[in-house]
Amino acid sequence: MATRRHTFRLYPNTTQAKKLFEARRIHCYLYNACIAHRRYEWRASRRSVSYFEQQNCLPEFKKFWVEFAYLNSLSLQSTVKRVDLAYNAFFQGLRKLPKFKSIQSYSGWTYPSLPEKSGWKVDSKGKHGRLTLRDLGITLKMRGQAKNWGKPSTLTIVYKPGLNQWFASITVEIPDAQLLFGSDSQLKYESIVAYDLGTETAITTYNGSEFVEVANPRFTQVLAPKIKQASIALRRKRAPNRKKRIKPSNRWKKANRNVARLQRQAGNQRKDWQHKVTSDIASHHDIGVTEKLNTKGMTARANKGSKRKKQKAGLNKSILSVGFGNLNKLLSYKIEGKGGLLITLDTKKVKPSQRCPNCGVIHKHWAPITNRYHVCDNCGFEVERDKGSVMVMYNVATNQQQGLGTCLSDVGLSGSTSSTVQRKHTGSMKQLGKVKRQKSQIKGDGNLETPSSYEAG
Ligand SMILES: [Zn+2]
C-alpha cells in the first residue's frame, strides 16, 4: 500500500469562506494557547508539558471555551500535535524554539484520520468533486486532478493568504498493483540506468551504451528577473507594520499578490518539468542506480571568509532551482512503483566523481566542482565529469568496475527495499496512536499510572 498526496483548490462561497476563516482562527488560537501553556509551565516550575497532558485538557478546555466545542475533536488534537511536533523538532536541535503564530502565518488545520472517523467526506473520482466538512457543516466545490486516486485517508485544509485561496490536501491510499505502469507485472530487470544529478546538466543518465543529458531548465533564469523586479516594486509600497499599527496600502497588497503569483508560477513550472523528466526515465528502465545525495551539505552556505562565496551562491541557486531532493524522490517512487528497483550507492566508498571509470584509480584533484573535464593520469582515459561518475555507477551496479570489490555489498549497496533514507522522526500521528494504545492497556491492567512523557521514537 502506497500513499500519495493530492492537492485540490477549494471554491467556498461567502458564507462558507466565513466559516473556514473562523475555524482557522480558532485553530490558530489553540496552537498559541498550547505554546503559552508549555512556556508558562517551564518558566514557573521547570516542567516540560507532554502532548498527552495537553490533549487531556481539551475536553475541559472546550467547556470553558464554547466556541471550540463544535470543531472536530480529532482535528483539534492534531493542532495540539503540531505544537508537540514543533517542540520535538526543537528538542532534537532541528528547529528553533516554536513561536506564537499570527493569523497571517497560520496555514490551516488537519483531519488526521479516515473520513468516517474524523467527520469529513470527499466526493470525487480523482478529478474535481465536492468536499464535506461535517464540523463546519459545509460542502465545498473542489477542483483539481489526481494521477493516482485511491482511498482518502487524511485531509489538511490550507489557506494561502497571498493568493486568498483555499486548498484541500488529501492523502490517499493506493493498492500497489494499481501503481504498476505497464500491464505485464512480471519483473524483467533488463534495463539498468545510472543517473546523476548535476548542476551543469540537471540529469545525466547512462545505460551502458549511451549517455542522455537532460538540460537544466533554469526557471529562475527566466522568472528570477521578473520576481526581482516585482519585489523591488513591492518594497516601494507601504508595507504593513503591526507594531506601529500601519496598515498595508492597496498598492502594496496588489504588488504582494503579484510576487506570490510569479513565485507560484516558477514552482509549478519546476514541478511539471520534474514529473515529465522522471516519468520518462522510469518508463524506460527497470533498475535505477544513483549515489546518496547530500543536498543539505551541497546547498549550505560557503565558509566564512571563503573566496568562493559567490560561486557557491550560484551553485546553490541552480541546485535549488532544479529541486534536487524532490527529483530523486520522484524518480525512486516511479521506478519502485512499477516494480523496479532503485540502488543507492555509498558515495564515500564508491567515490564516483573521483574514480576513473576505466582503470578505477582515484584522483583526489578531480573532486572540486570546477573540474569539468577529467583526464586519467594512470591510463589516459578522458571523460567529462558528469559522464564519468554515471559510468562508474553503472559499472559498479553491473559488477564491471575496476579497482572495487566484485561483491555489491563491498561497495555499500543498499537496495530500495531497505530504508536508505535516514530521517529523524519527531513522532507522527501514527506513532502517537501506538503510544495511546499502550497507555490504555496499562490503564486497563490497573497497576501503573500513565506515562508522564511521550517520547518520539
Ligand atoms: Zn584510468
Side-chain angles (χ1 to χ4, degrees):
M1 203 71 107
T3 52
R4 294 277 181 275
R5 180 179 285 282
H6 299 297
T7 306
F8 296 85
R9 175 152 172 216
L10 297 173
Y11 291 84
N13 61 30
T14 326
T15 31
Q16 290 171 335
K18 230 178 205 172
K19 286 183 177 176
L20 288 172
F21 278 121
E22 180 64 12
R24 169 166 163 261
R25 196 181 62 79
I26 295 175
H27 277 283
C28 177
Y29 186 84
L30 178 65
Y31 184 93
N32 288 334
C34 288
I35 289 186
H37 180 205
R38 286 186 184 236
R39 285 194 183 178
Y40 176 78
E41 284 295 331
W42 179 250
R43 279 187 195 143
S45 52
R46 298 278 130 184
R47 197 173 67 82
S48 291
V49 178
S50 74
Y51 167 76
F52 284 114
E53 206 178 326
Q54 297 200 317
Q55 192 214 43
N56 292 339
C57 289
L58 272 178
E60 206 56 29
F61 192 74
K62 277 196 214 167
K63 275 182 205 161
F64 285 99
W65 301 88
V66 276
E67 54 264 62
F68 282 74
Y70 77 98
L71 289 176
N72 183 278
S73 51
L74 287 174
S75 76
L76 289 175
Q77 283 178 19
S78 82
T79 297
V80 178
K81 184 65 196 161
R82 279 187 186 189
V83 178
D84 189 51
L85 289 173
Y87 266 92
N88 279 340
F90 165 65
F91 292 142
Q92 292 185 12
L94 300 170
R95 294 275 152 73
K96 286 184 183 164
L97 182 69
K99 285 195 289 191
F100 292 123
K101 284 200 174 187
S102 68
I103 187 70
Q104 285 93 339
S105 61
Y106 198 78
S107 64
W109 66 98
T110 300
Y111 297 88
S113 59
L114 295 175
E116 54 273 23
K117 274 189 195 158
S118 46
W120 55 286
K121 201 179 121 197
V122 54
D123 182 18
S124 171
K125 288 189 176 97
K127 195 177 176 185
H128 314 324
R130 277 164 193 287
L131 179 76
T132 306
L133 303 176
R134 219 155 280 156
D135 54 351
L136 307 188
I138 52 177
T139 299
L140 300 152
K141 251 196 268 176
M142 179 174 101
R143 282 182 70 82
Q145 199 172 349
K147 198 175 180 191
N148 267 306
W149 188 246
K151 197 177 156 222
S153 57
T154 73
L155 165 70
T156 300
I157 302 288
V158 178
Y159 176 67
K160 294 198 172 162
L163 301 168
N164 190 20
Q165 287 171 359
W166 290 90
F167 297 90
S169 177
I170 302 171
T171 55
V172 292
E173 285 177 357
I174 303 164
D176 288 332
Q178 196 182 319
L179 284 170
L180 294 175
F181 277 37
S183 50
D184 64 327
S185 56
Q186 268 193 333
L187 302 185
K188 290 175 285 182
Y189 289 136
E190 271 178 349
S191 155
I192 299 181
V193 65
Y195 64 90
D196 192 20
L197 308 174
T199 49
E200 203 75 345
T201 52
I203 303 178
T204 310
T205 67
Y206 180 60
N207 63 0
S209 55
E210 58 175 342
F211 296 97
V212 177
E213 287 175 302
V214 183
N216 208 330
R218 312 241 184 216
F219 318 99
T220 41
Q221 261 82 332
V222 183
L223 280 172
K226 282 190 188 173
I227 292 176
K228 201 174 174 188
Q229 211 177 6
S231 329
I232 290 171
L234 176 67
R235 249 173 278 145
R236 291 213 200 94
K237 315 282 189 287
R238 193 182 70 202
N241 188 329
R242 300 187 74 211
K243 275 180 194 156
K244 292 182 189 163
R245 303 206 168 187
I246 298 173
K247 281 187 180 169
S249 67
N250 282 332
R251 286 162 182 237
W252 184 89
K253 283 185 195 161
K254 197 175 162 192
N256 195 32
R257 273 199 297 275
N258 196 27
V259 173
R261 185 180 56 85
L262 286 170
Q263 278 168 343
R264 188 172 45 128
Q265 206 178 338
N268 284 345
Q269 280 183 10
R270 173 165 40 227
K271 252 190 260 170
D272 178 58
W273 179 84
Q274 286 177 344
H275 273 292
K276 277 180 187 155
V277 166
T278 50
S279 291
D280 189 50
I281 294 179
S283 62
H284 288 103
H285 305 281
D286 297 332
I287 301 182
V289 187
T290 187
E291 61 178 318
K292 242 180 236 170
L293 188 72
N294 176 14
T295 3
K296 214 174 177 186
M298 282 165 90
T299 55
R301 257 183 285 173
N303 292 332
K304 231 181 181 178
S306 163
K307 276 179 195 164
R308 298 195 303 185
K309 216 172 193 173
K310 256 224 160 117
Q311 192 188 339
K312 183 92 186 176
L315 177 67
N316 283 354
K317 214 174 221 173
S318 55
I319 286 174
L320 294 172
S321 83
V322 182
F324 265 10
N326 202 35
L327 253 175
N328 226 354
K329 225 175 16 190
L330 292 181
L331 251 178
S332 65
Y333 97 64
K334 283 180 184 177
I335 286 187
E336 283 167 23
K338 70 167 196 177
L341 181 73
L342 190 80
I343 297 171
T344 313
L345 300 170
D346 189 337
T347 311
K348 280 180 192 147
K349 280 183 186 158
V350 180
K351 292 194 173 69
S353 55
Q354 295 178 39
R355 193 178 291 278
C356 168
N358 191 40
C359 67
V361 167
I362 290 192
H363 305 264
K364 282 240 168 78
H365 63 274
W366 283 9
I369 199 107
T370 43
N371 283 346
R372 295 273 166 220
Y373 198 82
H374 295 163
V375 179
C376 177
D377 45 21
N378 185 41
C379 68
F381 191 79
E382 291 180 32
V383 71
E384 281 169 51
R385 177 196 178 88
D386 290 348
K387 287 183 179 174
S389 51
V390 285
M391 272 181 92
V392 172
M393 289 194 273
Y394 179 85
N395 289 346
V396 169
T398 49
N399 271 345
Q400 305 170 21
Q401 181 59 48
Q402 301 285 324
L404 268 173
T406 48
C407 179
L408 276 178
S409 60
D410 288 350
V411 292
L413 167 118
S414 45
S416 50
T417 39
S418 66
S419 82
T420 51
V421 188
Q422 288 189 343
R423 252 178 68 195
K424 280 190 184 174
H425 278 287
T426 45
S428 65
M429 289 303 281
K430 219 175 189 176
Q431 288 167 313
L432 193 67
K434 240 188 228 165
V435 178
K436 217 171 166 184
R437 274 192 291 281
Q438 279 172 1
K439 188 177 130 186
S440 61
Q441 268 172 8
I442 294 169
K443 247 189 180 169
D445 295 342
N447 47 17
L448 270 173
E449 73 270 37
T450 54
S452 58
S453 74
Y454 161 67
E455 281 175 25

